[in-house]
Amino acid sequence: MTELHPDLRENVRMLGELLGQSIRRYPGQECFDRIEEIRAAAKADRRQESGSGQRLVSLLGKLGDDELLPVTRAFNQFLNLANLAEQYHGIRRKRGHQSDLMVESFGEVFERLKTSGISAAELHQRVADLRIEFVMTAHPTEVARRTLIMKYDEMSDCLARLDHDDLMPAEREEVVHRLEQLIAEAWHTDEIRHERPTAVDEAKWGFAVIENSLWQALPRFLRSLDLSLSEATGKGLPLAAAPIRIASWMGGDRDGNPNVTHQVTRKVFLLGRWMAADLYLRDIQALRAELSMWQASDELKALVGDSREPYRHVLAGLRERLVKTRDWAEAAVNGEPADDSDILFENEDFIAPLEVCYRSLVACGLEHIANGPLLDTIRRAHTFGMPLIRLDIRQEAARHAEAVAEMVDFLGLGDYLSWPEEERQRFLLEELQGRRPLVPRNWQPSEPVREVLATCEVVARQTPEALGSYVISMASKPSDVLSVILLLRESGMTFPMRVVPLFETLDDLTGAPDSMAALYEVEWYREYCQGRQEVMIGYSDSSKDAGQLMAAWAQYQAQEKLTAVANQYGVHLTLFHGRGGTVGRGGGPANRAILSQPPGSVNGSFRITEQGEMIRFKFGLPRLAEQSLTLYTTAVIEATLAPPPEPEPAWRETMDWLTQRSLKAYRDVVREDPDFVPYFRQVTPEQALGKLALGSRPARRKASGGVESLRAIPWIFAWTQMRLMLPSWLGSDVALEEAARSDRLPALREMMKGWPFFRTYVDMLEMVLAKADLRIASYYEQTLLDDDELRTLGESLRSRLAGCIERLLELKEQQTLLEGEPVFAHSMRVRNPYTDPLHYLQAELLRRDREGEGKGEVPEMVERALKVTMAGIAAGMRNTG
């Protein structure tokens, strides 16, 4: 059995002991002893294969009301500290240490590609033209408060300082003492938010990730890429190359979030510029100290005249303009009169003087100085620009149609919403090709339409570098795209913004290729998009709609066909993957996911959402961010230059056969079984999730409604909390069972060997099944269900889960789950004694919470402890939604 790496085990032990010291001080030794007794019981129950958890349940049942909160907090806090230790372990730099999470280097990947026949020239060209964009989203899955995240980051720094063999005893003691202080501070900090963050708060959190991590990580990452590319091809990265871009939905995603208004979006644009000016100001001040040289090229002399310190002269001018830019943005954010003269608004205004300095140093033989901090600042400027982050706008297709319909109605041109698609397209194209304004001068639109138009006006005032994509959710027709372009033009937009249809449900994915072909048929549109198109693939809603297996196959086929259609019309397609952190929302190891995409679909460009807590796990620390950027970039390069083979026709037929069965089995339960929704509502904490102030967005698209109105994140979150993990395996159980009965398992093994897509799917299914826990799910049912019919459904679902595990083991020819992932398996085993008490407590607290609501009053201690169990289980599972 693989154990944790000794260094990781030691860090987990030390952090746990320091937490124990805080608990002994407050609430005291008696509480600490009770927590230790509970932990020992959880471990003992886990050691008994058939253990029922009775001893643990008995101990938890004896807890008084005053003990509930400290006990739940202790287990929650330990799981956060274990996450911290694991996260740090992935980036350890200790001599001779090979991290279990070590990422393959650029050099290794480039060497493999060259060996496979890729020329140095092609490799260089592809890397130089690379476009990978990470889109940070504020989906409400980040459970930890910002104030605690900052403490965890400093704890990670302390672990790094301890990671040296040459520390003096006093130095080591000083670091351990600081760790002890930080853990005590965390223990005495309320881990639950009581106020929902606003959309602006979320955007500020996104900016903080750039300030605290990506600002340092990006130049180091590009330096590493530049060096490896130079060694592999003889040429480094071009000066203006920006293979990585950072975009955000925070403050721009208004789909189902009434809290994101045009005022919020405007404020976020301005805050980004304020933050960018502040960060560049720090860079410029540091560069002024560095670039004291007097040698200068004729180009630089022409710019600065007779200055004895020409570089400092240029930098002083930039410094003044940055201060003005920061002051202007701050005043504008506060609604005060703002002087915008001589501010740095366009990227080029900032980059051009820096590049003159760079060329001058190179021309004077000071290339080694040019390639220091100055190059880092130039690369930041090409990546982040003056807006700091590219803001996406997301809105539902129906909202744009309503806006056009009101205009058409006011002008007496008819009922736009009743027009067939061809007539809508004809009208929109006539308006787009004409010169007269469509928006009537004296028109008073309805409030929802006024908001759509006001958002378009805010967008139209930005520079191209400030904008990501305009994403249209629930898009299905060319008119959905054309109407957005028309509304933007009517608002004063003078350049073509990327307008991106998002295909989410199973039907939308199936219809996506025909929809895009119809759009490419429009000659005006092909000119507008200038030969480049982005299409977003929705993972969350398709999985909720059709089950994970059917959704994965539908996404794969849609990408294949979308790629073929784009090629047919000579359009370069970028696929935007709307993945979440969990497998039920398309999550999983990023490099495997990228390398299993259909051949040709990753063509030098790739866009992906990073959400909530996954942003912290991947980009929260500079070294971690560097590693994540490397992992994604190597995968995109390899998927572009050495894509996986086409699946065999027989494999496609087998996938069709499997998914027909999985889709029916999934929908028979989720849509057709009248007991399913009551079971879901009663056995999971879904209805209590609203009490967690996770994000600015409501959990439901509509205030009332069933599972269909529930967002994909709470849907996954709720099942994860009680460990049934239903969305990720339901349907697959029947497909695998019928495959085994009809002797198809050898064919499935063949598919696993030769088809990365199928192999990745099976591996992800195994990971989810390893996180599921039949005993815990059963306890939730016993505690929370009164209805015998609902219990019968629960028994059936647990039986199907057990069958799915058996069939997967048979398929992979294994005795236990995760045989090929021993480190992950051990990590789960280490966490179980800490998550188990939280599960048992949560079930009991949910029961009390519902009883209290029935009586009209829930004790505050019960509600607080319930929230802590949700946060703790989320930490223990490592991904929430």
Side-chain angles (χ1 to χ4, degrees):
M1 183 190 292
T2 300
E3 294 292 322
L4 291 185
H5 189 284
D7 292 323
L8 172 56
R9 191 168 63 242
E10 171 57 24
N11 279 345
V12 172
R13 185 199 60 74
M14 175 179 62
L15 294 172
E17 282 187 2
L18 293 174
L19 174 62
Q21 288 175 24
S22 285
I23 296 169
R24 278 195 188 95
R25 290 191 195 102
Y26 179 83
Q29 185 67 40
E30 191 179 337
C31 182
F32 175 80
D33 292 342
R34 181 64 56 95
I35 290 163
E36 282 297 287
E37 192 180 6
I38 291 168
R39 187 168 71 99
K43 275 188 165 178
D45 281 342
R46 279 282 169 181
R47 278 197 294 270
Q48 301 167 22
E49 288 298 314
S50 59
S52 63
Q54 284 307 309
R55 179 161 174 248
L56 180 57
V57 171
S58 170
L59 280 173
L60 294 171
K62 292 173 187 168
L63 290 177
D65 283 357
D66 59 330
E67 292 177 299
L68 283 172
L69 193 58
V71 168
T72 52
R73 292 191 67 235
F75 287 105
N76 171 42
Q77 198 61 261
F78 177 83
L79 287 162
N80 277 297
L81 294 175
N83 284 348
L84 165 78
E86 280 191 12
Q87 188 180 42
Y88 172 69
H89 184 67
I91 53 171
R92 299 181 76 243
R93 313 306 295 173
K94 192 167 183 179
R95 189 172 60 251
H97 166 74
Q98 284 294 308
S99 164
D100 302 313
L101 307 172
M102 199 63 85
V103 171
E104 196 175 19
S105 71
F106 287 119
E108 290 167 308
V109 173
F110 292 166
E111 190 55 42
R112 185 164 65 244
L113 289 168
K114 286 170 69 181
T115 304
S116 72
I118 303 296
S119 70
E122 186 181 4
L123 177 60
H124 185 273
Q125 188 63 51
R126 283 297 201 169
V127 175
D129 292 342
L130 207 60
R131 290 180 72 90
I132 302 170
E133 196 157 23
F134 297 99
V135 185
M136 297 196 291
T137 72
H139 286 335
T141 58
E142 177 52 271
V143 176
R145 287 179 62 200
R146 173 91 195 122
T147 186
L148 284 169
I149 290 169
M150 290 168 73
K151 294 185 196 306
Y152 296 146
D153 286 352
E154 194 183 340
M155 289 179 207
S156 192
D157 288 341
C158 289
L159 293 181
R161 285 161 62 195
L162 289 172
D163 209 1
H164 292 272
D165 296 327
D166 56 353
L167 281 182
M168 302 287 284
E171 291 173 317
R172 180 178 174 79
E173 196 176 314
E174 184 186 338
V175 179
V176 172
H177 180 64
R178 180 59 184 150
L179 257 179
E180 186 182 358
Q181 283 178 331
L182 288 164
I183 288 171
E185 287 173 13
W187 175 244
H188 290 279
T189 298
D190 189 347
E191 57 271 86
I192 300 300
R193 289 193 206 98
H194 297 283
E195 302 289 328
R196 280 189 179 276
T198 66
V200 173
D201 291 335
E202 290 171 335
K204 287 178 179 175
W205 182 79
F207 297 151
V209 172
I210 294 178
E211 178 185 12
N212 299 328
S213 178
L214 286 167
W215 198 256
Q216 291 83 36
L218 183 99
R220 287 208 299 251
F221 157 79
L222 289 174
R223 199 174 287 283
S224 166
L225 177 57
D226 186 26
L227 180 64
S228 299
L229 189 62
S230 217
E231 288 171 353
T233 69
K235 282 195 300 181
L237 276 178
L239 189 61
I244 300 293
R245 302 282 171 88
I246 307 295
S248 175
W249 279 12
M250 302 180 199
D253 177 13
R254 57 243 310 123
D255 177 28
N257 189 351
N259 302 313
V260 179
T261 62
H262 70 280
Q263 293 101 326
V264 164
T265 298
R266 177 181 174 275
K267 190 170 184 178
V268 170
F269 275 124
L270 289 166
L271 283 168
R273 289 188 176 276
W274 183 92
M275 187 83 234
D278 195 60
L279 287 168
Y280 288 125
L281 200 49
R282 298 175 214 175
D283 271 20
I284 294 301
Q285 285 165 335
L287 282 172
R288 285 194 79 237
E290 294 254 345
L291 301 183
S292 53
M293 303 85 229
W294 51 267
Q295 300 102 314
S297 65
D298 291 341
E299 181 190 22
L300 180 57
K301 286 176 183 171
L303 188 66
V304 302
D306 295 329
S307 173
R308 280 176 304 199
E309 294 184 318
Y311 303 95
R312 285 180 167 173
H313 184 99
V314 170
L315 295 168
L318 282 176
R319 182 183 60 183
E320 284 173 28
R321 294 187 72 186
L322 283 168
V323 169
K324 284 182 180 176
T325 305
R326 189 179 62 181
D327 292 347
W328 160 79
E330 187 176 7
V333 164
N334 295 329
E336 297 162 4
D339 177 11
D340 63 358
S341 59
D342 204 31
I343 64 169
L344 290 164
F345 200 67
E346 306 281 347
N347 285 3
E348 190 57 24
D349 294 343
F350 182 59
I351 292 171
L354 294 174
E355 291 193 343
V356 170
C357 291
Y358 182 89
R359 288 193 294 272
S360 174
L361 288 167
V362 171
C364 295
L366 302 175
E367 192 166 349
H368 54 300
I369 295 174
N371 287 329
L374 174 60
L375 178 59
D376 289 347
T377 299
I378 290 170
R379 284 183 167 154
R380 285 181 182 124
H382 278 296
T383 299
F384 299 112
M386 293 315 297
L388 188 66
I389 209 163
R390 292 161 183 264
L391 194 63
D392 276 15
I393 304 297
R394 183 167 76 136
Q395 182 59 280
E396 202 178 344
R399 295 291 299 276
H400 309 123
E402 284 165 16
V404 174
E406 277 195 27
M407 284 183 209
V408 169
D409 180 59
F410 182 84
L411 295 169
L413 300 176
D415 179 5
Y416 176 83
L417 294 178
S418 70
W419 292 353
E421 173 63 12
E422 294 73 20
E423 192 173 348
R424 287 190 189 189
Q425 283 183 43
R426 184 184 53 73
F427 169 77
L428 293 168
L429 284 166
E430 276 179 14
E431 291 300 327
L432 284 164
Q433 290 167 324
R435 294 187 177 177
R436 70 174 175 85
L438 179 65
V439 177
R441 185 170 293 173
N442 302 317
W443 176 46
Q444 291 294 317
S446 66
E447 191 50 48
V449 169
R450 186 182 290 116
E451 178 55 38
V452 168
L453 295 174
T455 297
C456 289
E457 285 169 18
V458 169
V459 171
R461 291 193 201 110
Q462 308 309 314
T463 58
E465 297 89 1
L467 299 171
S469 303
Y470 196 120
V471 179
I472 312 166
S473 57
M474 298 300 170
S476 58
K477 306 176 291 294
S479 63
D480 292 334
V481 173
L482 297 173
S483 60
V484 170
I485 300 172
L486 180 62
L487 292 171
L488 288 170
R489 194 201 70 174
E490 290 294 313
S491 302
M493 195 87 157
T494 56
F495 55 85
M497 183 180 182
R498 292 193 306 242
V499 179
V500 178
L502 162 55
F503 299 104
E504 298 181 83
T505 64
L506 186 58
D507 288 346
D508 287 347
L509 286 168
T510 306
D514 288 345
S515 193
M516 293 312 298
L519 198 56
Y520 299 144
E521 277 291 327
V522 178
E523 186 181 347
W524 179 90
Y525 181 76
R526 289 202 306 278
E527 287 176 20
Y528 172 87
C529 72
Q530 299 170 338
R532 300 186 79 89
Q533 177 65 47
E534 186 177 305
V535 172
M536 185 169 181
I537 302 293
Y539 286 72
S540 308
D541 284 297
S542 53
S543 294
K544 186 158 78 79
D545 177 37
Q548 180 62 18
L549 180 58
M550 181 73 244
W553 181 225
Q555 291 149 10
Y556 187 94
Q557 291 176 295
Q559 289 177 66
E560 279 187 315
K561 290 171 185 167
L562 285 165
T563 302
V565 167
N567 289 343
Q568 184 187 330
Y569 288 91
V571 172
H572 181 279
L573 178 68
T574 296
L575 287 163
F576 179 10
H577 299 266
R579 290 171 173 268
T582 54
V583 173
R585 299 187 58 243
N591 57 337
R592 285 197 229 170
I594 294 167
L595 291 167
S596 67
Q597 299 303 311
S601 66
V602 181
N603 185 17
S605 60
F606 192 80
R607 206 167 191 255
I608 188 164
T609 53
E610 292 293 356
Q611 64 152 64
E613 87 282 9
M614 299 313 290
I615 295 173
R616 179 158 57 99
F617 291 154
K618 292 180 182 178
F619 302 104
L621 301 169
R623 289 284 179 196
L624 200 62
E626 205 180 326
Q627 205 176 59
S628 296
L629 294 173
T630 302
L631 182 138
Y632 275 98
T633 304
T634 52
V636 170
I637 292 167
E638 195 155 8
T640 298
L641 290 169
E646 291 273 354
E648 303 284 341
W651 298 349
R652 290 179 183 278
E653 285 173 26
T654 302
M655 276 306 293
D656 286 338
W657 185 90
L658 286 169
T659 52
Q660 281 166 14
R661 282 147 185 80
S662 73
L663 175 65
K664 182 176 186 312
Y666 177 85
R667 286 185 171 171
D668 278 353
V669 173
V670 174
R671 291 193 179 183
E672 305 300 329
D673 190 328
D675 290 330
F676 179 73
V677 171
Y679 173 82
F680 169 62
R681 292 268 144 80
Q682 288 182 39
V683 84
T684 74
E686 179 258 329
Q687 290 179 303
L689 286 176
K691 297 179 180 184
L692 271 182
L694 288 180
S696 68
R697 209 165 72 169
R700 292 180 177 278
R701 286 189 165 89
K702 295 172 187 162
S704 60
V707 169
E708 76 289 342
S709 72
L710 193 72
R711 290 194 172 277
I713 294 162
W715 163 248
I716 301 280
F717 196 120
W719 290 112
T720 304
Q721 290 278 306
M722 53 86 67
R723 298 289 281 276
L724 196 60
M725 315 298 285
L726 177 136
S728 303
W729 61 264
L730 186 65
S732 296
D733 60 314
V734 168
L736 290 178
E737 177 66 36
E738 295 197 16
R741 271 198 231 140
S742 54
D743 294 325
R744 281 180 162 85
L745 291 187
L748 298 191
R749 291 186 191 115
E750 203 58 41
M751 288 161 66
M752 284 166 62
K753 275 187 202 147
W755 192 11
F757 161 76
F758 189 67
R759 172 82 200 185
T760 300
Y761 176 75
V762 172
D763 288 346
M764 293 304 97
L765 178 59
E766 181 182 19
M767 187 179 83
V768 171
L769 294 175
K771 287 188 173 186
D773 194 300
L774 291 161
R775 185 177 66 172
I776 285 168
S778 172
Y779 185 76
Y780 276 75
E781 289 175 14
Q782 291 165 31
T783 310
L784 297 168
L785 297 182
D786 296 325
D787 188 319
D788 285 344
E789 288 185 12
L790 297 188
R791 288 192 171 187
T792 301
L793 173 59
E795 209 173 298
S796 157
L797 291 173
R798 283 185 287 111
S799 170
R800 289 175 62 167
L801 170 56
C804 192
I805 293 169
E806 282 177 33
R807 287 302 174 216
L808 185 110
L809 292 173
E810 189 181 348
L811 172 62
K812 294 194 82 171
E813 299 176 293
Q814 294 175 187
Q815 296 301 307
T816 56
L817 293 172
L818 299 176
E819 280 180 18
E821 299 281 349
V823 174
F824 178 69
H826 192 72
S827 171
M828 287 293 295
R829 282 195 296 275
V830 167
R831 288 159 191 275
N832 281 331
Y834 298 90
T835 52
D836 286 359
L838 291 173
H839 286 299
Y840 288 119
L841 280 166
Q842 184 181 85
E844 174 59 26
L845 288 163
L846 277 170
R847 190 183 63 74
R848 293 193 202 177
D849 183 67
R850 290 170 189 176
E851 279 178 4
E853 283 183 343
K855 294 172 186 168
E857 188 182 359
V858 178
E860 189 199 352
M861 209 54 80
V862 168
E863 192 155 293
R864 283 190 66 193
L866 176 57
K867 290 177 183 177
V868 175
T869 64
M870 291 189 224
I873 292 166
M877 293 291 97
R878 278 301 291 267
N879 46 16
T880 49

